[in-house]
Amino acid sequence: MAVKKLPNESEIDTTLVRQLADILKETELSEIEVERGELKIRVARELTVAAGPVTYAAAPAPAAAPAPAAAPAPAAMPSDPATMVARAGEEVKSPMVGTVYLQPSPEAPTFVKVGDKVKKGQTLLIVEAMKTMNPIQSPRDGVVADVLVGDAQPVEFGEPLVLLEA
């Protein structure tokens, strides 16, 4: 089986890789992936427990990945489109595929609940991906209008997690 070489495979845009690495630092995410045509660039960092060095790696994704299984719909979301109500506010979306946790530990209270006032940068929940806990922070000050996911629920990239109102 012949391996198809992309025309720009030997010329990886190092500026793009550096920009992605900077985004990881700024957002405290553990990985980010960008796709341009057939070229995929994934930049990830390995977080260490003792505040050691952070490493970055760029790796192309497999050419043909199997389709992921559909995540179950959150219990709060009606399945019948006729009963769905338009949501007002800003959706805070998952920046990665993983498992969402609403509290820092099983015996601790949830980070936020409906009606809570939150500040920009405040942790709303955690998305665990590859044994790394990634805090999802509020993009702005506001009020939690709805928590759209359940605890320990698998989530997809771009899936709405929390709804914020002004």
Side-chain angles (χ1 to χ4, degrees):
M1 176 184 219
V3 176
K4 180 181 173 187
K5 185 172 181 177
L6 299 174
N8 58 353
E9 188 173 31
S10 63
E11 300 173 13
I12 293 187
D13 185 355
T14 57
T15 304
L16 175 62
V17 173
R18 289 181 196 277
Q19 289 172 342
L20 293 173
D22 289 339
I23 291 170
L24 286 178
K25 284 181 190 176
E26 292 170 10
T27 61
E28 297 182 11
L29 294 175
S30 60
E31 68 180 71
I32 190 167
E33 185 174 321
V34 173
E35 186 174 345
R36 287 187 179 169
E38 293 183 20
L39 177 67
K40 290 183 184 179
I41 297 176
R42 180 171 115 2
V43 179
R45 68 180 183 162
E46 183 177 306
L47 302 175
T48 59
V49 176
V54 176
T55 59
Y56 296 94
M77 295 294 295
S79 58
D80 179 14
T83 62
M84 293 181 79
V85 177
R87 294 181 285 201
E90 178 180 356
E91 292 178 336
V92 178
K93 297 181 179 184
S94 179
M96 67 194 72
V97 174
T99 302
V100 69
Y101 294 103
L102 302 179
Q103 65 261 9
S105 65
E107 63 280 347
T110 59
F111 288 106
V112 295
K113 58 186 179 298
V114 174
D116 283 356
K117 291 183 181 181
V118 294
K119 297 283 185 191
K120 180 178 180 178
Q122 180 178 340
T123 299
L124 301 172
L125 45 83
I126 294 174
V127 174
E128 182 264 330
M130 297 173 30
K131 307 258 186 221
T132 301
M133 299 300 177
N134 300 284
I136 306 304
Q137 300 173 339
S138 177
R140 61 176 176 82
D141 292 356
V143 176
V144 176
D146 202 0
V147 178
L148 305 171
V149 292
D151 192 46
Q153 174 184 325
V155 293
E156 295 292 324
F157 171 80
E159 183 174 338
L161 304 171
V162 175
L163 187 63
L164 291 180
E165 294 178 332

